[in-house]
Amino acid sequence: MSPILWLRLALIMALVVLNTLVHALPLLAVGVLKALLPFAPLRRACNSVLTGLAESWIAVNSAMMAAFTGTRFEVEQHGTLERDGHYLVLANHQSWVDILVLQKVFNRRAPFLRFFLKRQLFWVPVLGLAWWALDFPFMGRFTRKQIAKNPELGRRDMEATRRACDKFRDIPVSVMNFVEGTRFTPQKHDGQASPFRHLLKPKSGGVAFVLDAMGDGLHAILDVTIAYPGGRPSMIDLMANRVPNVRVLVRQRPIPAELAAGNYQEDRAFRARFQKWMNGLWEEKDRDLERMLDPGTEGPGAAAQRSRSTPPSRTDA
């Protein structure tokens, strides 16, 4: 890399660290206060302060992205978002940049995004405690082999998910789930013999458990498709201004009543129905990605948009 690029990256990283400290330290202070308060109404009152700080943190990061890069965001949204709603957000996953994209698209337009995190991330300096203060659930993320040897590990993660979902019932929330469980790479795609061209196989169990745990506490599903026509970027690519454009398609979907509750682990018939539904979503997402990745198209869902008498909302940033 050239010296100028090194200076650019160093400047951006310094500003990111400064923004993190400015917002994360107050977040931690409010989070500790919330944990110590003896009455539930007082603890709930802290939630709006915590969310406000987190949204400010994201807004500054997004402003820096706009100031330091020429990345163009093309966003097509089907359905109206409610700031006080409860959503389950399902998205494909290709890069760490996906998180910044989702935050930019939904910040202050939908309830604050909360991710299920690996338990080890709690120990990330500053950030781990900030995520704890914001009620991000920390999970073991055990493999099938580990759970087969010790079923208690699986029950432990399910209980952590249920506790998190109980908290989410009391606050507006967008529960984020990267359904593939890992970032897409050609090697992973070939290794699992994925039937999809641009996606890994979806993992349905986590989605089923959140739907069951939150029940009628969820209003809708936000089905998000993220495409990078210039190729899958790294965070360095983004900071180096090597990401020409990002295309995002947001479809708001109703939660199928027959899938809102059921025993995914033990009911084979229910599991088969759920997996069939999830595979159907993924087949449509794969077709959307095929269109969105074509540099010659107008953007996400352009053909579908032209066929509708009432076009969905579209924003460019």
Side-chain angles (χ1 to χ4, degrees):
M1 290 190 292
S2 68
I4 293 177
L5 181 55
W6 275 112
L7 287 173
R8 174 191 177 88
L9 296 178
L11 173 61
I12 293 174
M13 284 303 301
L15 291 174
V16 169
V17 170
L18 177 61
N19 184 40
T20 298
L21 293 175
V22 165
H23 287 92
L25 295 180
L27 265 172
L28 178 57
V30 177
V32 171
L33 175 63
K34 174 185 172 182
L36 295 175
L37 289 173
F39 303 111
L42 293 177
R43 292 195 297 272
R44 284 195 293 269
C46 292
N47 288 331
S48 59
V49 178
L50 291 166
T51 299
L53 285 167
E55 290 176 340
S56 174
W57 185 358
I58 292 169
V60 174
N61 280 336
S62 296
M64 287 193 291
M65 196 189 317
F68 286 101
T69 77
T71 302
R72 177 181 172 85
F73 284 78
E74 304 169 30
V75 183
E76 181 180 322
Q77 176 188 313
H78 298 244
T80 302
L81 300 178
E82 302 290 343
R83 285 292 305 273
D84 60 349
H86 291 74
Y87 299 106
L88 175 58
V89 183
L90 308 179
N92 60 310
H93 193 19
Q94 304 167 77
S95 163
W96 288 112
V97 177
D98 297 343
I99 295 174
L100 297 181
V101 170
L102 289 165
Q103 289 178 332
K104 177 178 175 63
V105 168
F106 290 116
N107 192 44
R108 292 174 173 163
R109 298 179 59 244
F112 181 66
L113 285 169
R114 285 175 168 85
F115 297 78
F116 286 85
L117 302 174
K118 293 181 180 179
R119 189 169 291 124
Q120 294 88 333
L121 293 177
F122 175 80
W123 302 106
V124 175
V126 182
L127 290 175
L129 290 173
W131 292 325
W132 165 81
L134 289 166
D135 288 324
F136 280 41
F138 291 92
M139 314 289 292
R141 298 278 183 89
F142 303 106
T143 66
R144 288 184 179 180
K145 289 183 179 179
Q146 289 174 315
I147 294 174
K149 289 182 179 179
N150 184 1
E152 179 60 29
L153 297 177
R155 288 191 289 269
R156 193 182 304 169
D157 265 1
M158 286 191 288
E159 183 57 32
T161 302
R162 193 172 295 281
R163 286 197 303 270
C165 291
D166 286 342
K167 287 184 180 180
F168 293 160
R169 285 176 173 272
D170 296 331
I171 56 175
V173 69
S174 299
V175 182
M176 181 63 225
N177 191 316
F178 287 121
V179 184
E180 293 154 300
T182 185
R183 294 184 301 281
F184 178 99
T185 66
Q187 295 77 15
K188 294 174 184 175
H189 181 270
D190 294 343
Q192 63 176 219
S194 173
F196 310 103
R197 182 172 182 181
H198 304 288
L199 299 162
L200 301 179
K201 294 178 181 179
K203 296 184 177 180
S204 305
V207 179
F209 196 78
V210 170
L211 290 179
D212 180 51
M214 293 200 68
D216 57 3
L218 284 171
H219 296 156
I221 289 171
L222 299 182
D223 181 7
V224 183
T225 305
I226 304 171
Y228 302 99
R232 289 183 295 113
S234 66
M235 294 294 285
I236 296 296
D237 290 329
L238 180 65
M239 291 189 290
N241 196 22
R242 295 195 293 246
V243 183
N245 64 326
V246 181
R247 291 174 171 175
V248 183
L249 174 61
V250 182
R251 282 195 170 99
Q252 186 168 159
R253 300 182 183 275
I255 298 171
E258 67 275 13
L259 300 178
N263 192 327
Y264 184 89
Q265 297 297 325
E266 298 180 9
D267 186 338
R268 290 186 179 181
F270 177 80
R271 183 164 62 248
R273 291 195 303 272
F274 201 99
Q275 290 174 345
K276 181 179 179 180
W277 171 74
M278 182 63 71
N279 284 327
L281 293 186
W282 239 235
E283 288 169 1
E284 184 175 5
K285 188 180 293 292
D286 206 39
R287 291 193 296 269
D288 287 333
L289 276 168
E290 182 73 21
R291 183 169 57 246
M292 294 164 68
L293 288 169
D294 183 354
T297 63
E298 301 172 23
Q305 179 181 344
R306 287 194 296 271
S307 69
R308 292 183 176 87
S309 59
T310 304
S313 63
R314 172 174 292 183
T315 60
D316 293 320

